[in-house]
Amino acid sequence: MNSNLKRRLASAAFIIGFFVLWEIVCRAFHISDIIVPKPSQIIETLWMRMPQLWPHTLQTLYTTLVGFGFGILAGVAIGMLIGSSRLAYDVAYPLLIGFASIPKVAVVPIFVLWFGAGAVPAILTAMIMSLFPIVVNVATGLATTEPELEDVMKALRASKLEILWNVGLPRAMPYFFASLKVAVTLAFVGAVISETVASNRGIGNVMMIASASFDVPLVFAGLFILAGLGVSLYVIFSFIEARVTGWAMRKDEFAMG
Amino acid sequence: MTSAIRPSVADGIDPFVELEKVTLTYGRGARTIPALGETSLKVGQGDFVALVGPSGCGKSTILKLVTGLIKATSGYVFVAGREVGAEPMRVGMAFQNPTLLPWLSIRDNVMLPLKIVEPFRHQYRAKRKTEFRDRVEALLAQVGLAGFGDKYPWQLSGGMMQRASLCRALIHDPQLLMLDEPFGALDQFTREELWAIMQDLWMSRRPTVLLVTHDLKEAGYLANRICVMRSRPGQIIEDKAVHFPRPRTIEVSYTPDFVAMTQHLRELIVSARPAKEAA
Ligand SMILES: Nc1ncnc2c1ncn2[C@@H]1O[C@H](COP(=O)(O)OP(=O)(O)OP(=O)(O)O)[C@@H](O)[C@H]1O
Ligand SMILES: [Mg+2]
């Protein structure tokens, strides 16, 4: 408990120290606002421009979460398909790898072509960004079921579905939740990329316009919002992961919490 | 699937499990492994048969054939007079590692077969919290795990998990019990304790048991018959009846008769090991 507290204090001190140092360096070397604004100035901008930034923040959050939601649905479905059959695994895996190695920025123009600029390409980009880690993790979780456990189930005449439901899926859960915290950050990146390229709303778009007009403090304010959102999403899904799949960590805290 | 009818048995006893000239070859094409040469075996209902033999001789393969997990390359496997798989059969299995589900409590782990096997699965929802729960508790108590139902597998020692795994194999009153070295990873004292428990369980429920083991003392303590196998290809070379009265205790294993029997079996197995150049 004590060491846990210490670790948290240390990490908070490190973050604060980082910004203080940034502030000091900016002031000491008279670095221009156009290049790197001071943290104090960024926070001031955030505060002053909040009414203007807030709807865009919500927009980015919205496209991220909707895209992420679709990503989960599609990812779990594809992962289950691939993970529950050896044949599907062998056939689909190379395709999946190929798909995963396409830089996702490259597909944004295609989405824009199909659906026009706006929220839809952002949602789709968020979705395909978050898809891959979910698919791989669910499939891996399913495919690594102990063969002897499967023998026990088959000897009981359990159907494929029953094995999936009672053994495969619970087993894949830790993998699935571990993938969520990574996937949600990727969904977020996808949404912002798409907004930057082709949208008139969202934080990505705000940053684009701000940088075009050399409003550097606003660009950094956007960055701060993105960082804050990204960290929050990560923390939320880490927390869910720890709660739901405590058994996988084999800790005593699980039984109590 | 064609369901051949078992030919009548010449010697009169009605075997519950019968392997008739079964062979099994793993793999296809150039890389085939003849795991089991022509093997015949009859096991009466409620009998306790131990399979011993050198590593890789096909003991686990026989268990898989009898449970219908793999199909014989040639020959027939009959269970209860029908070709295996033709009729639903309550089967319990336990292995060297306990393979409990880490996300379920011990009680829920043991209850798993009740959730899947008829006739229990129909009543599962209704009786899960009452009758089935008592059933699990009673069985856990029988193997010395009273009060551990709420614990999770990782809170138990290896021996305790193995006991729970045995409970899972027995909870649905299996007609067939397949044990693949279930005591292999335990220390000597736990092992001997579990032999006694296993004997009690078998005597009170009388399932038909096939036990694979490397421990001849274990085979002699538990089984009515010991089948010795050789490898490449796997075959049964000796089928020995064990006549010590039950319930047996560990003392029986120190008697001259018992020692002579295990020594004889040991020599058989050593001579049945594949020659060096063949390996
Ligand atoms: N799935 C498989 N694919 C290919 N070969 C296999 C497979 N399972 C078993 N074999 C081979 O079949 C032979 C018999 O295997 P089996 O598992 O029945 O041996 P065993 O008597 O149980 O050995 P052990 O005492 O070491 O458990 C071995 O030579 C093994 O290499
Ligand atoms: Mg084996």
Side-chain angles (χ1 to χ4, degrees), chain A residues 145 149-150 153-154 157-170, chain B residues 116:
Chain A
T145 305
L149 193 56
E150 237 177 270
M153 296 297 285
K154 280 188 194 151
R157 294 293 161 86
S159 65
K160 263 207 138 53
L161 206 68
E162 277 172 327
I163 297 180
L164 189 70
W165 185 252
N166 287 297
V167 179
L169 284 184
Chain B
I116 289 162

Side-chain angles (χ1 to χ4, degrees), chain A residues 192-253:
Chain A
V192 173
I193 287 174
S194 178
E195 283 169 359
T196 310
V197 178
S199 177
N200 47 18
R201 296 185 65 191
I203 296 293
N205 178 250
V206 169
M207 287 171 65
M208 251 282 283
I209 294 172
S211 73
S213 55
F214 295 100
D215 191 349
V216 183
L218 188 60
V219 175
F220 274 80
L223 267 186
F224 270 37
I225 291 177
L226 291 183
L229 276 180
V231 171
S232 313
L233 289 172
Y234 185 89
V235 168
I236 289 170
F237 282 95
S238 301
F239 180 73
I240 294 176
E241 179 193 359
R243 291 296 294 210
V244 177
T245 59
W247 61 263
M249 323 226 177
R250 308 205 167 197
K251 293 250 178 66
D252 284 328
E253 292 108 76

Side-chain angles (χ1 to χ4, degrees), chain B residues 44-103:
Chain B
Q45 181 146 26
D47 208 354
F48 199 133
V49 175
L51 295 170
V52 299
S55 184
C57 67
K59 302 181 294 290
S60 301
T61 302
I62 288 186
L63 295 199
K64 284 185 187 163
L65 281 164
V66 172
T67 40
L69 291 171
I70 50 177
K71 262 187 76 75
T73 309
S74 71
Y76 297 99
V77 179
F78 300 100
V79 178
R82 301 284 301 274
E83 195 163 7
V84 67
E87 212 143 293
M89 174 70 42
R90 289 200 307 279
V91 182
M93 291 185 103
F95 299 92
Q96 183 167 355
N97 55 344
T99 61
L100 298 173
L101 304 173
W103 56 90

Side-chain angles (χ1 to χ4, degrees), chain B residues 116-236:
Chain B
I116 289 162
V117 177
E118 294 292 4
F120 305 100
R121 63 179 293 172
H122 264 100
Q123 312 155 357
Y124 183 74
R125 275 177 185 285
K127 296 190 177 168
R128 181 162 55 118
K129 297 247 162 72
T130 55
E131 198 187 307
F132 287 178
R133 195 189 158 104
D134 297 343
R135 194 188 167 101
V136 170
E137 292 304 333
L139 189 56
L140 285 175
Q142 233 177 320
V143 301
L145 281 182
F148 280 92
D150 287 316
K151 292 265 190 286
Y152 284 81
W154 43 268
Q155 293 172 310
L156 269 55
S157 71
M160 290 157 101
M161 284 198 261
Q162 199 57 50
R163 286 164 208 248
S165 164
L166 276 181
C167 288
R168 183 180 62 187
L170 283 163
I171 189 68
H172 54 300
D173 249 326
Q175 296 148 286
L176 258 181
L177 185 57
M178 301 283 129
L179 303 174
D180 199 342
E181 302 179 40
F183 314 116
L186 305 176
D187 65 277
Q188 190 62 38
F189 294 104
T190 312
R191 201 182 304 170
E192 286 169 7
E193 196 188 335
L194 282 179
W195 292 348
I197 290 170
M198 191 64 237
Q199 179 175 244
D200 284 347
L201 288 168
W202 175 75
M203 285 174 71
S204 59
R205 296 159 179 252
R206 291 304 290 263
T208 307
V209 185
L210 282 181
L211 166 74
V212 169
T213 178
H214 283 138
D215 186 342
L216 294 173
K217 210 163 132 184
E218 175 173 313
Y221 185 118
L222 283 171
N224 291 342
R225 267 166 69 197
I226 302 175
C227 293
V228 183
M229 295 180 67
R230 48 161 268 198
S231 53
R232 311 266 157 167
Q235 230 148 23
I236 296 174

Side-chain angles (χ1 to χ4, degrees), chain A residues 111-129:
Chain A
F111 288 148
V112 174
L113 197 69
W114 289 343
F115 303 103
V120 179
I123 289 172
L124 287 176
T125 316
M127 173 181 144
I128 62 160
M129 286 284 278

